[in-house]
């Protein structure tokens, strides 16, 4: 019984971090979809694989540093701060990519996989690097 109590002693922090993480994921999704000129959800519903790949990679690219922040933060506030930084990093990635490939939106809408895979890989790479840097 003592082992069970010891195991469950972290349930409140777990719930708090998990709820905050889910909220941050939803906020990221909303900001990302508002920031992009195309409607990811509509394209995905139309079975546009290119849009799905890019959106999924952006989501994963944000989730990686968010997970690292949860594992390394010293408080819920610290977690939120690093979550905001991770969000900003992913949004900057997309904006910088658009500068190099100004027709990326039209190409994603057209289902072009080469450009979509490239953007997806960059989103995941930046997310991974961001996650690795959130350690102290």
């Amino acid at each position: 019984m003592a082992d069970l109590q010891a195991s469950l002693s972290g349930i409140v922090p777990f719930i708090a971090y998990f709820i905050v993480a889910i909220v941050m994921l939803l906020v990221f999704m909303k900001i990302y979809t508002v920031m992009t000129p195309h409607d990811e959800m509509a394209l995905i519903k139309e079975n546009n694989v290119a849009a799905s790949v890019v959106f999924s990679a952006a989501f994963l690219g944000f989730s990686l540093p968010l997970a690292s922040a949860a594992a390394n933060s010293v408080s819920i506030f610290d977690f939120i701060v690093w979550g905001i930084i991770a969000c900003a990093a992913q949004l900057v990635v997309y904006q910088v990519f658009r500068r190099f490939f100004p027709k990326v939106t039209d190409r994603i809408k057209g289902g072009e996989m080469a450009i979509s895979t490239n953007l997806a890989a960059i989103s995941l790479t930046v997310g991974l690097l961001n996650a690795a840097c959130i350690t102290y």
Side-chain angles (χ1 to χ4, degrees):
M1 186 64 156
D3 289 337
L4 179 61
Q5 285 178 326
S7 293
L8 293 177
S9 66
I11 195 76
V12 172
F14 163 78
I15 291 169
Y17 275 77
F18 190 72
I19 289 171
V20 170
I22 296 299
V23 168
M24 285 196 285
L25 285 168
L26 293 172
V27 168
F28 172 76
M29 280 179 52
K30 182 63 177 171
I31 293 170
Y32 190 87
T33 56
V34 167
M35 184 186 74
T36 59
H38 53 277
D39 184 347
E40 284 86 356
M41 294 301 123
L43 291 171
I44 292 167
K45 286 177 184 176
E46 295 171 3
N47 200 30
N48 183 314
V49 176
S52 182
V53 166
V54 170
F55 189 63
S56 298
F59 199 66
L60 286 168
F62 174 63
S63 296
L64 289 166
L66 194 61
S68 180
N72 291 293
S73 64
V74 295
S75 68
I76 199 85
F77 179 75
D78 190 41
F79 175 51
I80 292 168
V81 168
W82 285 105
I84 291 168
I85 292 167
C87 178
Q90 280 302 311
L91 299 175
V92 167
V93 165
Y94 178 76
Q95 292 301 330
V96 169
F97 192 87
R98 282 186 65 193
R99 300 295 177 247
F100 286 96
F101 299 96
K103 296 183 181 192
V104 66
T105 294
D106 293 333
R107 295 175 72 183
I108 290 170
K109 284 191 221 177
E112 291 186 32
M113 287 305 298
I115 194 80
S116 299
T117 304
N118 189 247
L119 177 53
I122 290 170
S123 294
L124 288 171
T125 300
V126 168
L128 186 59
L129 292 172
N130 192 353
C133 293
I134 301 177
T135 57
Y136 36 95

